[in-house]
Amino acid sequence: SGRLSQRPDVAALVVVLCFVAFLNAFGMITPADQLASYLAATVGITSPALTTLVTFLVGGIAVPLLLVTGAAAWTRGFALEQRSLVAVASRWSFMLAPIGFGMWTAHHLMHFLMTGGTLLPVVASRLGQASSHVPTRHDMVRASLVPETWVQPITLVALELGMLLSVFVAYRIAEREYGRNNRTLLVALPWMLIAISLAAIGAWLLVQPMQMRGMLA
């Protein structure tokens, strides 16, 4: 019970969902295969399930825990906070929701924009109008809802809007908690840097060739 900003369990869920958005996209690009090969060669992990588990534990739990703890310690120190580190981290972690939502939106919007035109043929086939025609590259291009050159700019805009909103929320939290003064930006700075860094990583992920885009060779 209590306000969401005072609940560590809900804050932890927000953080995990945010970072998993980036891991989900990472799993669909070539570097993910390269990571799997590296783990197989160095530590003998050859199971895809175990590789996924290790990636999730590191990228979805360990790294965000380290970043959030560091940011909370910074804020607590410069704001001269009396609350515990967990309480500070719980209050601030919600600013990651917009950047996380922006990445989920950008990734799935990319898939929808590039393959959304297949919806009608699929529905038609379910209604008994299927044909023996084998899809071609031309068919998949026609399946795009927008020109292919538009997809990256649209998805990047969605991601960057999420980042900007996270930065704004971080500043607003600082204002509400400590007032507007010469330390307002300073206490919010590490959280802003996390959002900006995630946006940069997300942009890199979105411009990589994805192996599961539904495109034909």
Side-chain angles (χ1 to χ4, degrees):
S1 61
R3 294 176 55 191
L4 290 180
S5 62
Q6 298 173 350
R7 294 188 51 180
D9 56 337
V10 178
L13 180 62
V14 170
V15 173
V16 170
L17 288 176
C18 172
F19 279 79
V20 167
F22 295 85
L23 286 178
N24 183 46
F26 174 74
M28 297 186 180
I29 62 177
T30 301
D33 290 335
Q34 295 172 341
L35 174 62
S37 299
Y38 174 79
L39 290 176
T42 56
V43 294
I45 298 179
T46 57
S47 167
L50 187 54
T51 299
T52 300
L53 177 61
V54 170
T55 303
F56 173 77
L57 290 177
V58 173
I61 296 180
V63 170
L65 178 62
L66 180 64
L67 291 175
V68 168
T69 301
W74 172 289
T75 297
R76 188 169 184 265
F78 280 99
L80 303 177
E81 264 281 5
Q82 300 302 312
R83 291 178 295 180
S84 68
L85 201 61
V86 172
V88 175
S90 299
R91 177 69 179 97
W92 284 82
S93 292
F94 288 90
M95 57 74 58
L96 292 172
I99 182 62
F101 182 75
M103 186 62 198
W104 281 114
T105 301
H107 184 186
H108 291 288
L109 184 61
M110 178 269 293
H111 288 295
F112 178 69
L113 291 176
M114 296 188 74
T115 62
T118 61
L119 180 61
L120 289 178
V122 169
V123 172
S125 68
R126 297 297 295 176
L127 295 176
Q129 301 178 24
S131 69
S132 59
H133 174 64
V134 177
T136 64
R137 169 80 178 183
H138 178 63
D139 293 324
M140 294 305 294
V141 170
R142 289 192 305 169
S144 298
L145 296 179
V146 298
E148 191 169 347
T149 55
W150 293 13
V151 175
Q152 281 187 2
I154 291 173
T155 56
L156 288 173
V157 166
L159 175 65
E160 301 313 318
L161 285 176
M163 180 270 290
L164 291 174
L165 184 55
S166 279
V167 169
F168 173 75
V169 170
Y171 188 80
R172 289 290 294 160
I173 292 175
E175 277 192 325
R176 290 181 180 181
E177 294 288 317
Y178 314 113
R180 181 179 296 181
N181 51 58
N182 56 4
R183 291 188 300 175
T184 304
L185 182 61
L186 185 62
V187 297
L189 182 61
W191 304 96
M192 294 178 174
L193 290 178
I194 292 175
I196 293 170
S197 299
L198 285 175
I201 293 171
W204 176 78
L205 291 170
L206 290 172
V207 301
Q208 299 301 307
M210 287 197 175
Q211 299 175 349
M212 297 178 66
R213 286 187 173 179
M215 300 299 291
L216 299 183

